[in-house]
């Protein structure tokens, strides 16, 4: 793949190069290299899939939220995720990929979603930890995408990032309440953070020296910072928040490095990341089965909607023909 | 949209609780649909409707607690009552078996009944309740439009969807009566008859014996409410006195 | 139906009349009138259906039984009900009606089950009330059937009655514990008894003057006592037990009548019975849908079992052919 | 039936609780099948198996409570622990979607593992535990026979049943490892391989990464355990301190 992209690079249209050079946005009607288009479709689709699969682990807790206020906040959050999915599929559609086709790629495993959703959501505190850590990591990843070279994607990200930072604050608030609640609630919060910390660090992808697609994406203005840069940014942002929560991050090597002006942290067990990414785990199967099940149970509804639309169009045409 | 004219509006504590519990349990069932809708737009719409219902439930439960004067909050009322203490109509507690046709029919019946009930009660002397319901009229009017649009698509869609939604209508129709009052009954039934006809469907006949389709207002529920509440109350009850 | 039976009565075979006159058992190979056979099939099938539909309202509570001991007792009880279903379908099969055909009649509504199972089971105390009152009424109904003229049915009833009286005692014990427990438990027990008392009285069927099939069944030795006699026996048995429980039966007219040596009781609202019997209620639909759903989900399993049996038989025949 | 030879039998409190919780959660799942089996005989058989598993769970929980010395009864342990406090293997907590093929496969894996574990532990010094397990060996041997008979019928039945039970086998197989010990592993896997071959099925390959298929022994469970316990504990927890 890397080779293919490199060998094609010289065939980039001049107009495309000029837009990139001026740091302006590429729009759907602009000329663009086929690999740029395909890379973007893959990335936007994976992002969209992550939003809709990400509804599941939290959605489970809508029914069990321990107060009505929290239930409302969680409902609104999961609704936002569905909305993000919509923006993103729409952005991918401007590149010529239909939502149907992308969903099919998700359902059949040809396209992936973020492997963070293949960890189980075991307690109410997980809803807080997902908001604080997972949405926190997502924001760090996504803020630079608001300046992505492809216009529709960049504009979708602006909207999404605003909502995500809201979600992150709500997650923090859930954990704060638990950490300052009963001893059982505190333990629940600490347990969730213990389980979600390392997976959230892995959300930034493999270390820079092992990252395949990064260079070309940088050149194309799709990616602005390296995986390790973003990961460091997330750690530096999150450690003080953990202190404010009164919770411990499960890394004995975590300490402030005054020379770097950053926190040092322990080595990440990337073998686990690769295992989860391979997507042959039970939760991966469960998430996809849930999605495919809902899609199949809804087939008759989608067929009815199309049939109704077709009838309506036919009737309108008939009426207009009659009055013409 | 035409709604019943405001009349001498009466609302006692039992009625208030009944309205709150209808909305609460409807929100709970709707919340279970998120990530399971037939199209993504519908996940958004159903979450939105669930949020509206939940909002009304919270406001009315809070007000009920204040009027009751026993210091019960919205959460005390939602999380610490037993099934027999709930006052919702049976329609909203029944499981829908993840059948979108059942969901649509039930939402249409509920929102139409709520619309006219809320509209009639906008003029109650209690300013809090009046304000909540005035806002809610606009919301349930949207819920009703949404459900009616789907009823049209399903009723006048394919043969399969027509049959499925007609069957759902037959199953849910007997539960409508419990949501009606003498003041709203005729209007609600009239509007629903129009909607059903427009969707090329048939208004079901009334059950010979209406008894088993009502009872929620007196705390006589179906076998389905206890499991629903067990799920809803699970976390809260595992930590008595905790703040969330 | 009454007319049909009456008009056929004279054609009873002599051997059959002789058995009845001697109060001996009619066995499957004995000659018997067709209407006797059909009446018995209908009654045994309805009884069998009641056992298997009756598993549902209590089965729901196996998962939620509040102690492991109670969970075990309830599991054993529901298992007994399945066993009773088996004995009874087997008894009906001796009359030439296959289980498959009878199940189909249940699933399509052509045959009924006891309408008592169309009342909802709303709390743990209902498990006690069903054991005490419903099984209690069943025993009163069934003890005379142990002397029924048809041998296989009578023998099945002997076994069933023994187990039922065990169940009734367990139901009593559940209610006794609740009635002497916390105020909430006591209230739960009283509420259950309030809801189950009248329906259990209706289990004896319509009053004697409105009962259609009774006379012929009496003559045939299928029925030994009238509906009202059995109902009175149940009331006389149950009222002292209610006192022992410290619970109230919801009938202000209930009082000892020293002249009759029995308890007088209030008028029964039979219109409710007829409404429930008509079987168009929502719980009737739910029970049948549960049953049919399980049956349909199990179709591939039954097909596999038959296919396997057929293959095994074929292989055995082949082996025997080869070695012959 | 050949079982592993008794050896230096070791059983600490954690092991005891793990065995008890496997049986408890298996019984809870099996209990949910009653009235849902494909034939009536199977309703009887499954209830029977559930009763056996429940019996072992009760006896071992009681013994664990005694040894622990904190005064916890079988019911305290069953009804008042949180999901993270349970020690059952993940296999038994997974929902079966009312699929009889899944039920059969899971029962075969569980009962074969239990059989050899129990047999090896009959000689533990604790006489109570030894007696419970000695009786349980006969019971799970019956469970295993029952499951194996069904595996044959389904594997060597129709094309559909063959495919369904093979799929179930693929899905459940990775969870087997958590039920095994160094002492029992080879025997259990050997017997299962024979059963699977006899049923014209194929032994699934091991997962590349076994991590997500285990964790119950350390209290790391799937998302399915909390709802299962919520249902099981609902009534008991609504009445703290009550006697049943």
């Amino acid at each position: 793949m890397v080779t293919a992209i490199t060998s094609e690079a010289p065939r980039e249209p001049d107009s495309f190069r000029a837009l990139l050079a001026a740091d302006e946005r590429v729009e759907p009607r602009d000329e663009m290299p086929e690999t740029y288009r395909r890379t973007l479709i893959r990335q936007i689709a994976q992002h969209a899939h992550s939003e809709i699969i990400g509804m599941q682990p939290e959605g489970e807790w809508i029914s069990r939220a321990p107060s009505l206020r929290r239930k409302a906040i969680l409902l609104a959050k999961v609704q936002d995720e569905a909305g993000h999915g919509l923006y993103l599929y729409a952005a991918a559609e401007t590149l010529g990929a239909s939502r149907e086709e992308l969903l099919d790629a998700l359902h059949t495993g040809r396209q992936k979603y973020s492997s963070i959703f293949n960890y189980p959501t075991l307690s109410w505190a997980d809803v807080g930890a997902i908001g604080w850590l997972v949405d926190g990591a997502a924001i760090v990843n996504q803020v630079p995408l608001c300046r992505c070279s492809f216009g529709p994607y960049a504009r979708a990200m602006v909207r999404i990032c605003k909502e995500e930072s809201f979600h992150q604050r709500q997650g923090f608030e859930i954990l704060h309440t638990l950490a300052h609640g009963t001893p059982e609630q505190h333990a629940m919060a600490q347990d969730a953070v213990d389980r979600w910390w390392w997976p959230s660090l892995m959300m930034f992808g493999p270390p820079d020296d092992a990252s395949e697609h990064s260079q070309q994406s940088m050149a194309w203005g799709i990616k602005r910072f390296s995986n390790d840069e973003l990961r460091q940014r997330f750690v530096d942002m999150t450690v003080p928040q953990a202190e404010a929560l009164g919770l411990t991050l499960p890394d004995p090597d975590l300490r402030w490095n005054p020379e770097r002006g950053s926190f040092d942290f322990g080595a990440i067990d990337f073998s686990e990341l690769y295992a989860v990414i391979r997507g042959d785990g039970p939760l991966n199967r469960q998430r996809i089965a849930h999605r495919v099940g809902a899609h199949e149970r809804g087939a008759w509804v989608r067929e009815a909607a199309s049939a109704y639309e077709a009838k309506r169009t036919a009737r309108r045409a008939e009426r207009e023909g009659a009055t013409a | 949209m035409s709604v019943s004219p405001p009349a001498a509006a009466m609302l006692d504590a039992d009625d208030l609780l009944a309205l709150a519990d209808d909305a609460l349990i409807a929100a709970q069932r709707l919340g279970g649909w998120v990530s399971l809708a037939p199209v993504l737009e519908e996940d958004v719409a159903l979450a939105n409707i669930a949020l509206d219902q939940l909002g009304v439930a919270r406001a009315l439960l809070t007000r009920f607690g204040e009027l009751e004067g026993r210091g019960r909050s919205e959460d005390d009322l939602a999380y610490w009552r037993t099934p027999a203490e709930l006052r919702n109509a049976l329609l909203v507690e029944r499981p829908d078996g993840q059948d979108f046709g059942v969901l649509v029919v039930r939402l249409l019946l509920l929102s139409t009944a709520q619309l006219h009930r809320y509209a009639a009660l906008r003029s109650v002397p209690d300013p809090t309740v009046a304000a909540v319901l005035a806002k809610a009229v606009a919301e349930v009017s949207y819920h009703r439009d949404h459900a009616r649009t789907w009823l049209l698509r399903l009723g006048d869609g394919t043969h399969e969807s027509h049959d499925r939604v007609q069957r759902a209508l037959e199953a849910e129709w007997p539960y409508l009566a419990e949501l009606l009052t003498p003041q709203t009954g005729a209007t609600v039934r009239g509007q629903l008859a129009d909607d059903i006809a427009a969707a090329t469907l048939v208004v079901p006949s009334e059950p010979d014996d209406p008894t088993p389709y009502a009872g929620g207002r007196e705390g006589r529920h179906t076998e389905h409410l206890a499991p629903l509440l067990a799920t809803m109350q699970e976390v809260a009850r595992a930590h008595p006195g905790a703040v969330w």
Side-chain angles (χ1 to χ4, degrees), chain A, chain B:
Chain A
M1 187 74 178
V2 176
T3 333
I5 289 171
T6 318
S7 68
E8 202 187 340
R11 282 188 280 125
E12 287 179 359
D14 291 342
S15 59
F16 176 76
R17 286 170 172 268
L19 283 172
L20 290 191
D23 201 17
E24 285 185 13
R25 300 290 153 266
V26 180
E27 294 299 331
R29 293 182 180 196
D30 292 331
E31 277 192 288
M32 62 186 87
E34 181 58 17
T35 44
Y36 174 85
R37 199 181 66 84
R38 273 193 276 130
T39 302
L40 268 170
I41 289 177
R42 198 196 45 161
Q43 178 170 336
I44 297 173
Q46 171 159 344
H47 194 159
H49 299 334
S50 301
E51 294 284 356
I52 65 167
I53 295 291
M55 295 164 74
Q56 289 181 35
E58 293 177 292
E60 273 296 301
W61 290 92
I62 293 173
S63 301
R64 297 184 270 165
S67 80
L68 296 185
R69 180 171 148 263
R70 292 288 176 205
K71 191 191 286 283
I73 292 173
L74 185 56
L75 250 172
K77 179 186 175 184
V78 180
Q79 181 187 28
D80 283 348
E81 288 164 359
H84 298 174
L86 283 175
Y87 307 156
L88 289 163
Y89 286 121
E93 280 178 336
T94 66
L95 291 162
S98 76
R99 199 204 297 182
E100 202 176 4
E101 173 184 322
L102 297 177
L103 281 178
D104 188 63
L106 168 65
H107 296 169
T108 54
R110 284 176 290 123
Q111 287 178 353
K112 301 285 179 205
Y113 56 87
S114 171
S115 48
I116 193 75
F117 301 118
N118 291 337
Y119 294 91
T121 318
L122 299 178
S123 79
W124 170 250
D126 287 29
V127 173
I130 291 176
W132 179 46
L133 294 175
V134 175
D135 292 343
I139 291 166
V140 170
N141 256 330
Q142 291 168 10
V143 162
L145 288 172
C146 298
R147 296 192 294 123
C148 160
S149 62
F150 185 61
Y153 191 27
R155 288 190 290 275
M157 289 321 302
V158 171
R159 245 175 116 170
I160 290 174
C161 281
K162 216 186 309 176
E163 294 180 351
E164 293 281 15
S165 80
F166 201 59
H167 299 163
Q168 203 240 352
R169 227 169 322 139
Q170 289 162 349
F172 181 86
E173 202 192 299
I174 287 175
L175 287 181
H176 193 271
T177 308
L178 295 176
H180 296 81
T182 66
E184 289 78 20
Q185 286 179 303
H186 184 96
M188 193 194 281
Q190 183 62 58
D191 172 62
V193 169
D194 287 347
R195 284 182 287 105
W196 288 95
W197 171 249
W198 290 106
S200 65
L201 287 190
M202 295 187 209
M203 285 176 67
F204 297 92
D208 291 348
D209 48 24
S211 182
E212 287 181 20
H213 308 293
S214 287
Q215 267 192 315
Q216 179 63 76
S217 288
M218 290 268 198
W220 277 338
I222 298 175
K223 204 171 162 70
R224 302 268 168 186
F225 302 96
S226 80
N227 294 354
D228 288 336
E229 282 171 325
L230 292 170
R231 189 165 12 241
Q232 183 68 56
R233 192 176 288 185
F234 173 68
V235 172
D236 291 345
M237 178 185 100
T238 308
V239 174
Q241 293 178 1
E243 278 167 27
L245 285 173
L247 295 172
T248 312
L249 296 172
D251 180 357
D253 298 329
L254 198 60
R255 63 179 55 84
W256 178 248
N257 180 330
E259 283 168 41
R260 295 204 301 123
S262 268
F263 286 91
D264 291 339
F265 54 96
I268 299 176
D269 174 11
F270 277 103
S271 66
E272 194 204 325
L273 173 65
Y274 298 132
V276 177
I277 279 183
R278 247 193 337 262
D280 59 354
L283 247 121
N284 176 274
R285 281 198 289 275
Q286 179 185 320
R287 302 279 183 245
I288 292 294
H290 177 108
R291 201 29 248 156
V292 171
H295 193 73
E296 287 176 356
R297 275 195 305 281
W300 70 276
V301 176
R302 292 189 301 276
E303 281 159 25
S306 318
Y308 177 75
E309 247 357 277
K311 282 187 201 175
R312 229 168 55 137
T313 310
R315 278 178 211 143
R316 197 182 306 130
E318 207 171 292
R319 266 200 312 277
E320 280 163 11
T323 57
Chain B
M1 157 139 314
S2 101
V3 292
S4 314
M10 299 273 295
L11 185 75
D12 62 17
D14 283 351
D15 292 337
L16 185 59
L17 195 56
L19 291 181
D21 286 348
D22 283 352
L24 177 67
I25 303 303
Q28 180 71 4
R29 283 276 180 230
L30 286 162
W33 268 88
V34 172
S35 84
L36 290 168
V39 286
L40 197 48
E41 286 81 355
E42 199 57 24
D43 279 311
V44 177
L46 292 179
N48 207 28
I49 294 171
L51 268 170
D52 287 345
Q53 294 280 350
L54 184 57
V56 172
R58 293 178 63 193
L60 296 184
L61 285 176
T62 300
R63 188 66 187 138
F64 176 85
E66 289 166 4
L67 295 172
E68 188 192 38
R70 290 171 49 196
R72 291 203 282 181
S73 69
E74 60 176 54
D75 286 336
D76 293 332
L77 290 163
Y79 291 94
W80 295 93
R81 278 185 295 161
T82 63
E85 291 169 322
L86 267 90
R87 290 293 174 267
N88 62 280
L90 302 187
L91 179 88
V92 293
E93 74 195 35
R94 281 156 50 76
D96 51 38
Q98 300 185 355
D99 183 322
F100 190 72
V102 173
L103 172 88
V104 164
V105 165
R106 213 173 279 173
L107 183 61
L108 182 70
L109 303 191
L110 174 69
S111 60
T112 309
Q114 284 177 324
L115 174 64
H116 294 285
R117 196 77 207 289
Y118 292 176
L121 292 170
R122 273 179 303 189
S123 55
V124 287
D126 185 320
T128 313
V129 175
V132 170
L133 295 183
K135 175 165 173 281
V137 162
E139 292 167 353
V140 295
S141 169
Y142 161 75
H143 305 173
R144 184 176 136 66
D145 280 349
H146 187 77
R148 198 172 40 166
T149 305
W150 271 114
L151 191 81
L152 275 176
R153 290 185 188 131
L154 300 180
D156 196 14
T158 63
H159 284 301
E160 184 192 359
S161 70
H162 178 92
D163 291 353
R164 286 182 73 139
V165 77
Q166 180 70 44
R167 273 205 304 279
L169 207 50
E170 308 281 347
E172 303 308 316
W173 189 257
Y175 294 94
L176 172 64
E178 195 176 17
L179 291 160
L180 305 179
T181 65
Q183 200 190 355
T184 65
T187 318
V188 171
R189 288 183 183 279
Q191 277 199 343
L192 288 172
D194 291 347
D195 300 337
I196 291 168
T200 73
L201 297 162
V202 179
V203 177
S205 54
E206 297 302 316
D208 292 336
D209 175 18
T211 330
Y213 302 95
R217 301 294 188 226
E218 292 83 44
R220 285 182 287 105
H221 292 278
T222 66
E223 295 176 347
H224 310 294
L225 185 60
L228 179 149
L229 287 185
T231 301
M232 182 169 119
Q233 299 172 338
E234 170 196 341
V235 180
R237 288 193 171 208
H239 301 267
V243 172
W244 302 96

